[in-house]
């Protein structure tokens, strides 16, 4: 689990609610450096218990490379609303349709990046309709369910959520430490960071955590299905990952005929463990993706 992220967006970034046909989603939208036309637009989906802030340290280096980046809180995450107790609203197809609606609202094809759980939601969106996307990057996100040890730890969290309040679970997590997949990158920069992190946890809908926790523990292998989609793929990870072992990610990249990046010094969250080399690897990949035609629309 990382300790590098922060809640403060870059100076030029806008925080707002993106209006879509499926509701409003809280985003951090960072323009390219110098305010020129972007090489491309990037939509970034966070992982389990995460939020748009997990990508904070990527915005500026990607802006310097010419990319506009939009990080989003998914339905029920942090500053985006969602049902408190109805898990059906967080079924994976629903979350995937949310992503398609976000791209439609942005009004341009995007490079899609999903971290961990966000990668599996991104995959589901691409499998529903790949036409709005220029590429797909799966960051520390594997081919199927998470490892047995992480399944056990996520189950402990789900059991706690069934019997305790979010505040009570938070207090337990502070003494025991959350599982890697049940603990997104921890923002610690700034004197208010611990309180902001607690606010993020308390703002996340319990039903979202219960539903997506089950998804992580039961996700089928859809790599063969994804490999048939005519998009460029990128599999990016750290050198060590307890949630999906790195050799499993290596194998998935081969099955997808994907670009493969292993970021030195990073574990499950390269976006916060090593943001500069991670941003460099992302931009290098996108630089090689053909630009959309002027008449392309999501």
């Amino acid at each position: 689990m990382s300790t590098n992220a922060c809640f403060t967006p870059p100076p030029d970034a806008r925080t707002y609610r993106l209006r879509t046909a499926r509701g409003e989603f809280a985003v951090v939208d960072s323009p390219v450096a110098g305010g020129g036309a972007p090489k491309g637009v990037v939509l970034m989906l966070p992982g389990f218990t995460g939020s748009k802030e997990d990508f904070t340290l990527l915005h500026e280096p990607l802006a310097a490379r010419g990319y506009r980046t939009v990080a989003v809180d998914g339905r029920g995450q942090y500053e985006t609303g969602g049902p408190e107790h109805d898990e059906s609203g967080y079924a994976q197809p629903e979350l995937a349709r949310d992503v398609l609606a976000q791209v439609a609202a942005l009004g341009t094809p995007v490079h899609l990046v999903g971290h961990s759980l966000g990668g599996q939601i991104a995959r589901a969106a691409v499998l529903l309709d790949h036409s709005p996307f220029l590429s797909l990057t799966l960051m520390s996100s594997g081919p199927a369910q998470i490892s047995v040890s992480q399944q056990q730890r996520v189950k402990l969290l789900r059991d706690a959520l069934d019997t305790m309040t979010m505040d009570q679970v938070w207090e337990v997590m502070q003494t025991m430490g959350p599982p890697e997949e049940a603990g997104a990158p921890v923002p610690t920069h700034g004197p208010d960071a611990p309180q902001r992190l607690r606010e993020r946890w308390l703002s996340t809908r319990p039903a979202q955590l219960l539903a997506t926790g089950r998804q992580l523990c039961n996700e089928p292998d859809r790599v063969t299905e994804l490999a048939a989609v005519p998009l460029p793929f990128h599999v990016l990870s750290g050198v060590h990952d307890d949630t999906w072992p790195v050799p499993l990610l290596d194998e998935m990249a081969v099955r997808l005929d994907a670009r493969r990046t292993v970021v030195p010094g990073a574990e499950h969250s390269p976006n916060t463990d090593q943001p500069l080399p991670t941003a460099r690897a992302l931009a290098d990949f996108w630089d090689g993706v053909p630009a959309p035609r002027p008449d392309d629309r999501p």
Side-chain angles (χ1 to χ4, degrees), residues 138-176:
L138 301 172
M139 181 186 295
S140 302
S141 185
Q145 72 272 16
I146 57 179
S147 67
V148 172
S149 63
Q150 289 298 320
Q151 289 181 45
Q152 293 169 344
R153 298 174 77 181
V154 170
K155 185 179 183 300
L156 287 175
L157 176 61
R158 286 171 40 212
D159 289 346
L161 289 169
D162 280 336
T163 59
M164 302 168 68
T165 67
M166 290 289 283
D167 197 30
Q168 289 170 331
V169 174
W170 171 259
E171 294 303 323
V172 171
M173 288 169 61
Q174 298 319 291
T175 60
M176 298 180 60

Side-chain angles (χ1 to χ4, degrees), residues 168-213:
Q168 289 170 331
V169 174
W170 171 259
E171 294 303 323
V172 171
M173 288 169 61
Q174 298 319 291
T175 60
M176 298 180 60
E180 181 175 357
E181 183 53 36
V186 180
T188 58
H189 291 335
D192 64 340
Q195 179 61 27
R196 294 290 298 274
L197 181 61
R198 181 176 180 274
E199 289 172 3
R200 176 170 76 172
W201 170 259
L202 294 177
S203 297
T204 300
R205 306 307 190 269
Q208 193 269 355
L209 294 170
L210 290 168
T212 56

